[in-house]
Each structure stands twice: as structure tokens, then as C-alpha cells.
Amino acid sequence: SLNCGRGSGDARERVEQNRSRVANALGVREAALIGPHQVHSAKAVIVNTPWEAARAPEADAIVTNTPNLAVSVLTADCVPLLLADAAAGVVAAVHAGWKGARAGVIESAIEAMESLGAQASRIAIRCDGVEERRLLDAQLLRHILVNLLSNALKYSPPDSPVECNVA
């Protein structure tokens, strides 16, 4: 696997090798490959310099307009989203589990991007292997919703109703 999660149970040496491979593939220094301490929240953070892994802020979206800084999130059964406004030079990585998505993590990421000069109408999104499309593309939103609902059903208690209001 290409596990880059320092908090996982995988061998630390392997995780660091994987992080090095990813950083090299992205053309950045290893220290510039950063991600938040994910907590299934709606919080997005703006970053302009790398941090030490132990000092990662609690958030589920990370946004930057700093060149050579690679923002990242880790997922298992949540939906990873990569957002970009190429004209503004603003990017975001979003850890969109059903809890965070319901709480508004995607909206928080877009708001943070807009605060750095992005325009929602120009934001492109890449989702879990789906080709890049405009944010409001119906097929892409359907793909995201299916993934989120699937995970909500999988991890909800058996007697707990799952509400879906797509208005």
C-alpha cells in the first residue's frame, strides 16, 4: 500500500518511505507534504508554511495558495476531494466523511478558498478517481452523495434512521 498516515498501525519506516515517494512524485520537499489532524469536522484551515506532524491543526480541509506546498488528506472509507481554482492559484484537500460533509466541511473549504481569491464558479474538483469537473456538475455530486450515503448507512447503528434531504 501507499499508506502515508503516521497515525496508522503500519511500520513507521514504511510510512515515511511512502511519504517520500508521494512528495517526490509531486515535486515537493517531504516537509512540504502536509495534512491536518482529521477529526470528522466542518473545519477548514488555511496554510502558508509547513508544520511539524505533531503540530498539525485539527481540521478536515486544508487550503493554500502557496506554491510548492502539497496539501493532503488521508481517507479509508471517507471521500477525498481535491479542489482547485487554477486562475487564482488556490487549492484545497478535503476529508469528506458523512459527518464532516453534513457539518459543512466542503462549504468551509470553498469559503476558505474564496478568502484567498478563488471564485466558486471557477473551482474544479476531483473526487475519488472521477475525472475533474466543475463543482456543480450533477453527475459528480451524485457520485459524492452515493459515497457519503453508503458510508452513513455502513457506520450508523442498525436502529438509527439515516436522513437524506437533497433540496
Side-chain angles (χ1 to χ4, degrees):
S1 81
L2 194 58
N3 182 6
C4 291
R6 289 181 169 131
S8 72
D10 285 3
R12 176 85 174 174
E13 180 180 303
R14 274 264 167 82
V15 169
E16 293 306 321
Q17 287 173 346
N18 291 340
R19 294 182 63 80
S20 178
R21 287 184 185 133
V22 170
N24 287 334
L26 294 173
V28 300
R29 296 174 303 120
E30 287 180 49
L33 175 61
I34 60 170
H37 176 80
Q38 297 167 197
V39 292
H40 298 278
S41 71
K43 186 174 180 184
V45 295
I46 296 173
V47 61
N48 54 25
T49 58
W51 53 62
E52 295 176 31
R55 296 182 180 264
E58 288 189 353
D60 285 278
I62 180 170
V63 179
T64 193
N65 62 355
T66 303
N68 300 314
L69 193 59
V71 294
S72 66
V73 292
L74 302 173
T75 62
D77 54 4
C78 295
V79 180
L81 303 175
L82 299 175
L83 291 76
D85 178 341
V90 180
V91 296
V94 181
H95 169 249
W98 68 270
K99 287 181 185 178
R102 182 176 182 176
V105 70
I106 300 167
E107 294 87 344
S108 294
I110 292 170
E111 288 171 12
M113 291 178 73
E114 289 176 325
S115 78
L116 294 176
Q119 292 181 16
S121 63
R122 293 191 312 234
I123 294 174
I125 188 169
R126 186 164 183 100
C127 169
D128 194 21
V130 174
E131 291 301 315
E132 189 172 302
R133 301 175 194 267
R134 290 287 163 209
L135 182 61
L136 298 178
D137 181 281
Q139 184 179 358
L140 178 60
L141 290 176
R142 194 173 309 114
H143 176 79
I144 293 169
L145 285 172
V146 166
N147 277 294
L148 292 173
L149 285 171
S150 164
N151 289 333
L153 291 169
K154 188 184 328 179
Y155 293 101
S156 294
D159 58 345
S160 173
V162 174
E163 179 182 325
C164 179
N165 181 1
V166 183

